[in-house]
Amino acid sequence: MAKKATKSKPKPTKKGPSFKLSKQNKIILGSLLMLFSIALFFSFISFYFNWQDDQSLLSEFKDRNELAKNLLNKFGASISHFFMYKGFGLASLIFPFLVCITGIYLFLGLPMKALFKKWIWGLLFVVWISIALGFFATSSPLLGGLVGFEMNDFLQDYAGKIGVLLLLVFGLIFILVRLFEVTPEGISSFFKSRKEAISTEFKANQERKANKKKEEEELITTSLEEEAPVIIDTYTHKEEIPHLEKEEKIKDFEITTPEPEETLDMEVEQVIEEPEEIDILANKLVDDFGEFDPTLELGNYKFPTLDLLDQHGATGGITINQEELEENKNKIVDTLKNYKIGIAQIKATIGPTVTLYEIVPEAGVRISKIKNLEDDIALSLAALGIRIIAPIPGKGTIGIEVPNKNSSIVSMRSVIASSKFQKAEMELPIAFGKTISNETFVVDLAKMPHLLMAGATGQGKSVGLNAVLTSLLYKKHPAEVKFILVDPKKVELTLYNKIERHFLAKLPDSEEAIITDNTKVIHTLNSLCIEMDNRYELLKLAMVRNLKEYNTKFKARKLNPNDGHKFLPYIVLVIDEFADLIMTAGKEVETPVARLAQLARAIGIHLIIATQRPSVNVITGIIKANFPARLAFRVTSKIDSRTILDTAGADQLIGRGDMLFTQGNDVTRIQCAFVDTPEVAKIVEFIGAQRAYPDAHELPEYVGEDSGTSLDNNVSDRDAKFREAAEVIVIAQQGSASLIQRKLKLGYNRAGRIIDQLEAAGIVGPFEGSKARQVYVSDMVALQQILDNE
């Protein structure tokens, strides 16, 4: 007997985790996303107004006492910096829109399939707009963000500018066709309908004008028949006054007799004779005493000798390695041959650290094709720092700079000893080093007129500053030039203390000539602005346009010292680590530097500013525009190179004094002259041992606006919240107006007045820029004693 087949029960399948949201949770999440999108929008908009002020706070996110200027404070500053600067730039404004739509879909319970399509198109728009903005705004990543900036740079390396532009056009066509369903027929019909509408509107306007003109003519005809003519005086715009009789006119008319011509001629002759008398007197003084010599007070001054400088490296000049030259030449030719680029001619120019290979490509070869092979040539040569100049300015060749395997040191002694420097007829000659063609590179600081130096740490900025100062010490007398040295690091420029009474300038009653304190830097810069204004006043009285003409006139004894005239030396302001000053003092340093950069050229004040990276919050647009001379040592990225030089190349340098110099036209590659610290010490000791002036050159006195110190410590005038604010400051041990604002819920102006009163009472220290004030009272017991004794 057969058994009944038993039906097997289906095993229950295990269900995976469910991610479905309930209606209440969708409403809550949707509300959150909509509010978050509003926060994103306001933080993104605020970024373009406050990003420079908030950039320094990004690393201080955990510090509650620091406040950002973004509408959403530090959260807004951080998230907007991430999306707008590090991300997609202006295109990031699409993200709040997408987040808001997502919130609306969740809030209303709409199907999510359509939302997925919106996100895809939104992200596509973000990428396209970012790359497009990066293509058109090549100088800064602010509009297209770092993503658009770098993607554009990457695409241009392979496709060139025209290729990237074509890709952007294709992307726009794709979006218009797929998203907006644009077709050629639709475009044609749109323009056709617009043309018809414009034609109809034009005809209607013509008819209206004709009817209006006809009505006006009828109205004018009627008014002419009804009213008498009224004549209007075109000068007074009043109705014409009846003519006077002839006798009345003569009675009211006054006749004035001019002064005799002889009197006027006599006055003119007197004015003309005065300058002639001055010139005669000046010529007589020159004949009797000779021209005024500003160096007479230190007439026995001896310039530093070449023996004080060491001869670094080989004395016989550059050693030519014929095998290396031939090998590099063959590799370049073979690499270009692989890409079907023929070479008609190639020659090499050997420099101390870099060899320049000049190639003449065959007819029909595009220059951009060779330029794009920069990385391939570097790979074949196995060398760091390949730089292609296509084309070389002033020549019909393309240059490929290749570092030498065994580089030669350019000594400061060889540069100073060169005839080009010794015979240089310049006001402020500076010998930077040697070019690729092994020629000494000498420029005039007076014609730059200011110099901006930049480079990563350890690439040669300090050596470059020493080379500048050494050049001027070897060429100029102490009476002709004065230095103002600002050294926030306190160790780089301290050697020059020994020549304080010869070459340095400082504030009155200042102990040290090398400025290391930020407060003294601010006072010195403002004092220099006063000196600038005083010098311009002297030039105005002397009726000359620049310092050279003024000193020439003074030496010729055509200016009277009793009228305040004196010989004016050049002043060179050297600032090392400028970024540190901006971070600590900000606008207090930026404003006087900007004034000096704009105006100080004609009166002989010249600036040399060195910084690790000239970012836009350190070197502002006003300052950078007045520094046409730029000196770039090796930097870490192309963005840094473009920031300092407005072109790439500094990221391809090999370091150790390898630098690029530009004065607004072509870029010159130079090997900076090496001057060691012991050499500088010997030079300043040689100068310092000689007879000097009684004191350093004094700058005009400047009285700073010490915040709060001018307030009287009057107990009756104190704020009602003074005691509470003092307790808050002592407990927190941090003196800042923002702390009082938050704890006592006061406005900024009132909190500022209270902090000034606390300073006058001796509870907190003076204003120190962006730093919090120092608290002088250690605990509540000491505070109570101070308040009880008042």
Side-chain angles (χ1 to χ4, degrees):
M1 189 175 175
K3 292 182 180 179
K4 291 183 180 179
T6 59
K7 292 183 180 179
S8 60
K9 294 181 179 179
K11 294 181 180 180
T13 57
K14 292 184 179 180
K15 293 183 178 179
S18 176
F19 295 101
K20 289 185 178 180
L21 295 172
S22 63
K23 187 176 181 181
Q24 291 84 355
N25 289 339
K26 284 183 178 179
I27 293 171
I28 293 169
L29 183 59
S31 304
L32 177 64
L33 289 176
M34 284 190 284
L35 294 174
F36 181 65
S37 68
I38 295 170
L40 282 178
F41 177 78
F42 281 110
S43 66
F44 289 177
I45 293 296
S46 180
F47 172 81
Y48 279 100
F49 296 96
N50 305 306
W51 70 274
Q52 289 181 329
D53 297 320
D54 294 344
Q55 196 172 26
S56 60
L57 296 176
L58 296 176
S59 60
E60 302 174 4
F61 191 84
K62 296 180 181 177
D63 190 354
R64 293 182 60 186
N65 295 325
E66 295 292 339
L67 295 176
K69 290 191 177 181
N70 193 288
L71 291 176
L72 271 76
N73 210 325
K74 283 183 282 189
F75 169 77
S78 299
I79 198 166
S80 61
H81 179 78
F82 177 78
F83 276 96
M84 305 296 282
Y85 186 82
K86 291 187 176 181
F88 302 93
L90 274 174
S92 300
L93 288 169
I94 295 174
F95 286 115
F97 176 72
L98 293 173
V99 173
C100 183
I101 289 178
T102 306
I104 292 170
Y105 268 66
L106 288 170
F107 188 84
L108 299 176
L110 300 174
M112 305 300 287
K113 288 183 179 180
L115 181 65
F116 179 73
K117 184 180 178 183
K118 285 181 172 56
W119 270 92
I120 293 295
W121 282 110
L123 293 175
L124 186 62
F125 264 111
V126 167
V127 174
W128 186 85
I129 293 171
S130 178
I131 296 174
L133 290 174
F135 179 81
F136 292 106
T138 56
S139 59
S140 172
L142 283 175
L143 291 177
L146 277 177
V147 172
F149 192 87
E150 293 295 340
M151 286 182 70
N152 211 285
D153 197 42
F154 173 78
L155 290 171
Q156 286 191 23
D157 287 343
Y158 287 94
K161 281 194 173 183
I162 295 176
V164 176
L165 182 63
L166 293 175
L167 284 173
L168 289 171
V169 172
F170 173 74
L172 181 63
I173 293 170
F174 178 81
I175 292 169
L176 291 173
V177 172
R178 294 302 302 270
L179 183 61
F180 298 103
E181 297 181 355
V182 176
T183 60
E185 294 83 3
I187 295 171
S188 176
S189 61
F190 171 78
F191 282 109
K192 191 175 180 181
S193 61
R194 289 300 303 161
K195 185 179 179 182
E196 291 175 356
I198 291 169
S199 178
T200 306
E201 184 68 23
F202 179 76
K203 288 178 181 178
N205 283 336
Q206 291 294 328
E207 290 177 1
R208 280 196 295 269
K209 285 180 181 178
N211 294 333
K212 189 176 181 181
K213 188 176 181 181
K214 190 176 180 181
E215 291 174 1
E216 287 177 353
E217 287 176 353
E218 291 175 357
L219 184 64
I220 289 169
T221 305
T222 308
S223 62
L224 286 173
E225 291 173 355
E226 292 177 356
E227 297 181 8
V230 178
I231 303 171
I232 305 296
D233 185 3
T234 57
Y235 180 74
T236 60
H237 296 283
K238 294 179 180 179
E239 293 184 9
E240 185 177 353
I241 301 168
H243 292 286
L244 293 171
E245 294 295 329
K246 190 174 183 182
E247 292 180 0
E248 291 176 350
K249 284 184 181 180
I250 294 170
K251 189 188 291 184
D252 295 336
F253 190 75
E254 293 182 4
I255 300 173
T256 57
T257 307
E259 295 180 5
E261 293 181 1
E262 292 179 3
T263 310
L264 297 174
D265 291 340
M266 287 171 64
E267 290 178 0
V268 173
E269 285 173 6
Q270 288 177 0
V271 174
I272 293 171
E273 283 176 4
E274 285 180 5
E276 289 180 358
E277 290 175 3
I278 292 170
D279 289 342
I280 292 167
L281 183 61
N283 292 332
K284 188 177 179 183
L285 287 169
V286 170
D287 292 337
D288 294 342
F289 302 99
E291 282 196 350
F292 173 79
D293 186 9
T295 65
L296 203 58
E297 189 173 351
L298 296 182
N300 296 325
Y301 174 81
K302 293 181 181 179
F303 287 87
T305 60
L306 285 175
D307 298 330
L308 300 171
L309 294 170
D310 298 333
Q311 184 66 56
H312 299 282
T315 57
I318 298 171
T319 305
I320 299 174
N321 189 337
Q322 198 65 40
E323 293 180 4
E324 183 183 345
L325 285 174
E326 194 67 21
E327 184 182 354
N328 286 342
K329 185 200 80 170
N330 293 334
K331 286 180 178 177
I332 291 171
V333 172
D334 293 338
T335 304
L336 295 176
K337 239 181 221 180
N338 293 336
Y339 293 91
K340 298 180 181 178
I341 298 173
I343 296 174
Q345 185 184 345
I346 184 168
K347 66 176 182 177
T349 305
I350 305 164
T353 55
V354 175
T355 299
L356 173 66
Y357 294 89
E358 289 183 59
I359 62 172
V360 179
E362 291 179 350
V365 176
R366 294 178 62 185
I367 293 175
S368 59
K369 196 173 181 183
I370 299 175
K371 179 69 176 171
N372 293 333
L373 296 175
E374 190 170 357
D375 294 334
D376 300 277
I377 295 170
L379 179 65
S380 67
L381 294 171
L384 174 69
I386 298 293
R387 182 168 164 262
I388 295 180
I389 311 166
I392 297 175
K395 295 184 179 180
T397 59
I398 295 170
I400 301 174
E401 294 175 353
V402 181
N404 299 335
K405 290 181 180 177
N406 298 315
S407 59
S408 304
I409 297 174
V410 176
S411 65
M412 196 71 201
R413 177 169 179 162
S414 64
V415 172
I416 296 292
S418 66
S419 60
K420 193 169 184 180
F421 179 77
Q422 292 294 333
K423 295 178 182 178
E425 294 181 358
M426 300 177 179
E427 293 300 314
L428 296 172
I430 295 174
F432 279 125
K434 292 191 176 181
T435 62
I436 290 176
S437 56
N438 205 33
E439 293 178 356
T440 303
F441 190 81
V442 183
V443 289
D444 191 359
L445 178 62
K447 291 183 179 178
M448 287 188 187
H450 310 296
L451 176 64
L452 179 61
M453 299 174 67
T457 305
Q459 302 302 322
K461 289 194 306 298
S462 298
V463 176
L465 284 176
N466 285 329
V468 170
L469 295 172
T470 303
S471 300
L472 295 174
L473 291 176
Y474 266 87
K475 200 70 175 175
K476 306 305 288 185
H477 190 275
E480 297 174 315
V481 65
K482 300 295 177 183
F483 301 115
I484 300 173
L485 305 180
V486 178
D487 183 17
K489 290 194 286 191
K490 304 180 182 180
V491 293
E492 290 292 344
L493 302 174
T494 49
L495 285 170
Y496 297 95
N497 263 326
K498 296 179 182 178
I499 57 171
E500 175 182 338
R501 292 187 297 135
H502 291 86
F503 282 98
L504 300 189
K506 66 177 184 178
L507 291 170
D509 302 324
S510 181
E511 294 179 3
E512 294 181 359
I514 310 294
I515 306 160
T516 56
D517 182 44
N518 285 344
T519 305
K520 289 184 179 178
V521 173
I522 296 165
H523 288 186
T524 303
L525 291 172
N526 285 288
S527 172
L528 205 54
C529 289
I530 297 171
E531 173 72 11
M532 176 182 71
D533 295 334
N534 293 342
R535 288 190 171 199
Y536 268 118
E537 191 65 27
L538 290 175
L539 262 66
K540 174 187 168 187
L541 295 174
M543 291 185 289
V544 292
R545 295 183 61 190
N546 55 53
L547 187 77
K548 188 177 179 181
E549 294 176 7
Y550 177 90
N551 284 337
T552 303
K553 204 168 184 178
F554 186 84
K555 286 179 183 178
R557 302 185 185 275
K558 294 181 179 179
L559 299 174
N560 192 349
N562 294 328
D563 295 336
H565 293 293
K566 58 184 177 180
F567 182 83
L568 299 177
Y570 284 94
I571 296 177
V572 179
L573 171 64
V574 179
I575 302 177
D576 195 9
E577 298 298 337
F578 185 69
D580 183 69
L581 291 179
I582 293 295
M583 288 172 65
T584 53
K587 291 285 182 184
E588 292 176 289
V589 167
E590 181 186 335
T591 303
V593 168
R595 279 204 70 210
L596 292 169
Q598 292 178 62
L599 301 173
R601 172 183 183 174
I603 43 84
I605 298 176
H606 303 282
L607 279 62
I608 299 174
I609 290 178
T611 180
Q612 288 186 5
R613 184 187 175 191
S615 53
V616 288
N617 60 327
V618 175
I619 304 294
T620 60
I622 295 174
I623 295 176
K624 192 175 176 183
N626 289 282
F627 280 77
R630 317 268 179 82
L631 194 64
F633 292 88
R634 187 170 184 266
V635 294
T636 54
S637 67
K638 287 184 179 179
I639 296 174
D640 292 355
S641 176
R642 289 193 180 99
T643 307
I644 174 67
L645 295 174
D646 295 328
T647 183
D651 55 316
Q652 298 290 343
L653 299 174
I654 59 175
R656 295 177 61 84
D658 191 17
M659 63 186 189
L660 295 175
F661 176 81
T662 179
Q663 274 190 281
N665 37 32
D666 55 329
V667 180
T668 307
R669 191 167 186 173
I670 307 165
Q671 178 59 41
C672 183
F674 179 71
V675 53
D676 206 359
T677 306
E679 296 174 70
V680 177
K682 284 190 284 185
I683 294 168
V684 296
E685 282 173 7
F686 178 85
I687 297 172
Q690 301 183 53
R691 180 174 171 268
Y693 294 106
D695 202 355
H697 182 80
E698 282 193 356
L699 296 171
E701 188 175 359
Y702 172 74
V703 180
E705 299 175 1
D706 298 329
S707 180
T709 54
S710 60
L711 294 175
D712 294 328
N713 189 14
N714 193 342
V715 178
S716 60
D717 292 339
R718 284 180 180 171
D719 194 278
K721 296 276 188 180
F722 177 83
R723 181 179 286 269
E724 293 179 51
E727 292 173 356
V728 168
I729 293 294
V730 172
I731 292 170
Q733 284 296 302
Q734 184 177 0
S736 67
S738 58
L739 180 64
I740 297 173
Q741 275 184 275
R742 292 198 309 275
K743 295 295 184 183
L744 302 183
K745 298 179 181 179
L746 303 177
Y748 179 78
N749 293 334
R750 188 177 178 186
R753 286 194 296 272
I754 293 174
I755 206 77
D756 289 341
Q757 292 168 6
L758 290 170
E759 181 187 348
I763 297 172
V764 298
F767 179 72
E768 296 182 10
S770 59
K771 294 181 181 178
R773 294 171 184 247
Q774 188 178 353
V775 181
Y776 292 150
V777 182
S778 58
D779 52 30
M780 295 296 293
V781 176
L783 175 65
Q784 191 64 38
Q785 290 176 354
I786 291 173
L787 297 176
D788 292 343
N789 292 332
E790 290 180 342

